[in-house]
Amino acid sequence: MRNEQIVVTNPATLEEVRERPVDVVSEATLEKMFAKARRAQREWRESSVGQRKRALRKIQRYFIWHYEELIKEIRLETGKVWPDAMLEPLSAVGDLAWLTWNAKNILCEETSSWPCLGLINRRGETNYTQALPVVGVITPWNLPLAIPAADIFPAILCGSAVIWKPSEYTPFTALKVAEIIQKLGCFPDGLLQVAPGYAETGKAIVERADGIAFTGSCDAGLNVMESCFRRQIPCNPEMSGQTPGIVWPPYNFERTVNAAVWHAFANSGAYCKALRLLIVARHEYERVVEVLVRRACMLLPGIDYGPIITAPQLEIIENRVARAVDGGAEVLCGGKRPYGMPGRYYEPTVIARATFDMELLAEETFGPVLAVMPADTLEEAISLANRSRYGLNGAVFTRSKKIAKQVRQELEVGNLNRNDCMMNWMFAGLPQCGTKRSAAPMSGIPRHGFFGARRFTTPRTYVEPTFPLPFSDWELWWYPYTESTEWALRFFIHTYWPFV
């Protein structure tokens, strides 16, 4: 691990924030952080659900009334325009509100009935109160508050301690959150700690934690999953997205175009769920694209959209657009940096005639770039959308519930919005699902909802008799095996309800 300091660069101005260097944690410091976290967790796990709710509501209240403190840090390290930055505390407050409202149901004992008359005197429970002791939360630079809030606060509600490794590009927001929580005195000292650093810091956390919540690229996520599998600890990854949108008549033209522009270019396209491909019914294609391009061209840097947060990401965007053009794609608007802007800005870009063998569509470009293409039939539109290797999010714009149902059944994505953009994220009670390369195999993306909160626990089951039977010192299927055993087992196979 590197013993050095991180100096953040504001991507909107390219000015280094040298007066606020951030120390990279050393391996020795990280060991001490984990020891401290385990001590704090042993204390925290003894707290009641009511105490945990009150602590999280205290944080929620502070975020509501002092969100400008958070926005200041977010904008300093990301350069975001105010509305894009404001969506982050808004999202965090939504997570906190849902968690505290549902805390008792999240951490309850669920009773399971068994439809067998032969076992009528048994009761089963599933218990979600056994927390993972220390959870490592590794988060990206595009949403330095919204994404970690969806992992950190449910983990703490469940009784875990958290070691949070933010992106090396955006440590200020993480340090501010930790400072606020320390000031409020909500938790035992050491329950939430921030470990600034680079990739090797993340690897060191994965090697020490009892569970990992990771958000980032597929390559990094696969490495994290491999390490977690080797250590046999839970891993909850969200890895990249390439959202397709389908426009199919009958539809609301104005809402569709307005939604597509925001969905593609808000946050400079740096949402995992941002719109990357818009597929339009051929007879509506020219009309939609003409207005879409006109409105995309009207967006202003520093007012409607911010910069690309990292220099490597800006280079990726420029290279992929250039290679797409070389391969026959056509830039309808944008495709370059805006003139006269000092930061890492890139104009909202609409591209036609892109193909799926181009990196632009084959990989997550993660910038303000939207490809558009026509389709002759709805089946063709769905087939084109499903050619992506990712399956995080999708959108369908239509007034027809029948068409929406067909898209919902056939589109290979974990989250789908009709006539809307990414609203599933704001529904904190809905789990964030995923398919293909966007999620760990067989796991989906267990963030948000009851399933998402409980991923930080180790479920335990318990079965007990509810009332004694006349022969309570013995069961018919126990030893010794006799003719009565055979009779009992032949009888039991007919005792499941409903009888057939």
Side-chain angles (χ1 to χ4, degrees):
M1 293 171 61
R2 287 178 265 183
N3 293 319
E4 56 184 72
Q5 291 184 323
I6 297 171
V7 177
V8 172
T9 299
N10 184 328
T13 62
L14 300 185
E15 295 176 357
E16 292 184 335
V17 190
R18 290 199 165 273
E19 67 275 13
R20 292 179 60 185
V22 177
D23 291 328
V24 174
V25 296
S26 65
E27 193 157 358
T29 301
L30 194 62
E31 286 284 358
K32 293 177 182 177
M33 292 174 72
F34 269 89
K36 187 177 183 180
R38 294 189 187 282
R39 288 194 298 271
Q41 194 271 336
R42 284 193 290 271
E43 178 184 345
W44 182 245
R45 72 186 180 189
E46 301 301 325
S47 61
S48 67
V49 176
Q51 288 173 313
R52 297 177 195 180
K53 282 174 58 177
R54 286 191 291 274
L56 292 180
R57 278 183 175 159
K58 198 172 183 180
I59 298 170
Q60 179 188 346
R61 241 182 335 263
Y62 192 93
F63 282 7
I64 289 172
W65 294 106
H66 303 276
Y67 57 81
E68 287 289 359
E69 291 182 28
L70 298 164
I71 289 176
K72 179 182 177 182
E73 301 298 312
I74 293 168
R75 297 191 71 191
L76 180 62
E77 60 190 1
T78 67
K80 294 187 183 192
V81 295
W82 194 91
D84 288 345
M86 179 59 189
L87 287 175
E88 299 221 40
L90 186 64
S91 176
V93 166
D95 287 331
L96 286 162
W98 188 86
L99 288 167
T100 55
W101 182 260
N102 292 282
K104 287 186 178 180
N105 293 328
I106 292 169
L107 300 176
C108 69
E109 293 180 347
E110 290 184 344
T111 302
S112 176
S113 60
W114 184 242
C116 176
L117 295 179
L119 300 176
I120 197 169
N121 71 320
R122 302 293 202 283
R123 184 173 70 94
E125 290 180 353
T126 304
N127 186 291
Y128 296 98
T129 59
Q130 188 70 28
L132 300 174
V134 181
V135 173
V137 175
I138 302 172
T139 55
W141 43 260
N142 62 312
L143 292 168
L145 176 60
I147 286 175
D151 293 328
I152 290 169
F153 295 129
I156 288 175
L157 174 67
C158 289
S160 300
V162 172
I163 304 292
W164 176 10
K165 191 268 174 199
S167 167
E168 61 269 28
Y169 293 101
T170 55
F172 290 163
T173 304
L175 293 170
K176 171 56 72 173
V177 171
E179 176 191 315
I180 289 170
I181 289 174
Q182 181 74 20
K183 179 171 66 174
L184 294 176
C186 300
F187 309 133
D189 187 34
L191 195 72
L192 172 62
Q193 298 174 77
V194 176
Y198 297 92
E200 52 265 38
T201 305
K203 291 177 184 176
I205 291 173
V206 172
E207 291 300 321
R208 290 166 171 82
D210 303 299
I212 294 293
F214 170 86
T215 306
S217 69
C218 280
D219 291 340
L222 291 172
N223 289 333
V224 170
M225 287 164 54
E226 182 180 348
S227 297
C228 291
F229 179 78
R230 177 173 46 79
R231 293 192 58 223
Q232 296 186 331
I233 63 170
C235 179
N236 304 111
E238 179 184 312
M239 304 177 295
S240 306
Q242 190 83 333
T243 297
I246 295 175
V247 179
W248 214 259
Y251 69 106
N252 183 323
F253 178 82
E254 283 296 322
R255 181 172 179 84
T256 297
V257 174
N258 289 334
V261 171
W262 186 85
H263 199 177
F265 306 126
N267 208 43
S268 294
Y271 287 129
C272 298
K273 295 179 173 66
L275 187 66
R276 313 289 182 199
L277 171 64
L278 190 66
I279 303 164
V280 186
R282 188 174 295 276
H283 57 281
E284 293 288 329
Y285 176 76
E286 289 189 8
R287 177 185 178 217
V288 169
V289 171
E290 179 186 358
V291 179
L292 179 71
V293 167
R294 189 188 314 142
R295 293 186 184 173
C297 290
M298 294 169 62
L299 299 177
L300 299 175
I303 297 174
D304 298 308
Y305 64 92
I308 308 303
I309 294 173
T310 77
Q313 189 60 38
L314 177 57
E315 185 178 349
I316 288 171
I317 295 166
E318 290 181 319
N319 289 341
R320 287 184 182 172
V321 170
R323 284 194 287 269
V325 171
D326 291 342
E330 179 187 2
V331 174
L332 303 180
C333 72
K336 62 185 187 299
R337 303 188 191 191
Y339 178 77
M341 296 297 293
R344 299 192 196 106
Y345 289 90
Y346 194 81
E347 291 183 354
T349 301
V350 180
I351 291 183
R353 296 204 296 270
T355 58
F356 289 95
D357 58 350
M358 298 175 178
E359 280 184 299
L360 189 77
L361 288 180
E363 300 295 338
E364 183 185 38
T365 299
F366 214 63
V369 181
L370 175 64
V372 293
M373 59 179 62
D376 291 310
T377 65
L378 181 60
E379 289 71 22
E380 182 190 6
I382 295 171
S383 176
L384 289 170
N386 283 338
R387 291 187 64 177
S388 172
R389 296 193 299 165
Y390 303 97
L392 183 60
N393 205 57
V396 57
F397 298 95
T398 182
R399 284 195 173 106
S400 168
K401 290 186 177 181
K402 182 179 179 181
I403 290 172
K405 182 179 180 180
Q406 183 178 348
V407 174
R408 181 180 181 182
Q409 291 174 337
E410 298 179 18
L411 193 62
E412 297 167 357
V413 298
N415 311 286
L416 182 65
N417 292 268
R418 174 173 167 236
N419 298 331
D420 223 325
C421 322
M422 300 186 284
M423 282 306 296
N424 50 297
W425 176 265
M426 300 306 291
F427 275 76
L430 293 178
Q432 300 298 296
C433 308
T435 64
K436 303 179 183 177
R437 284 170 60 88
S438 293
M442 305 303 293
S443 75
I445 300 175
R447 175 184 278 152
H448 282 173
F450 289 98
F451 182 46
R454 290 170 176 167
R455 66 195 150 125
F456 299 110
T457 67
T458 303
R460 296 186 175 186
T461 61
Y462 174 70
V463 178
E464 65 178 0
T466 54
F467 57 87
L469 294 175
F471 44 89
S472 58
D473 58 343
W474 178 69
E475 297 291 347
L476 289 171
W477 51 88
W478 289 359
Y479 291 128
Y481 287 161
T482 65
E483 288 185 8
S484 297
T485 306
E486 184 178 335
W487 176 87
L489 295 177
R490 289 181 186 276
F491 170 75
F492 278 140
I493 201 169
H494 297 287
T495 62
Y496 290 92
W497 181 264
F499 302 133
V500 293

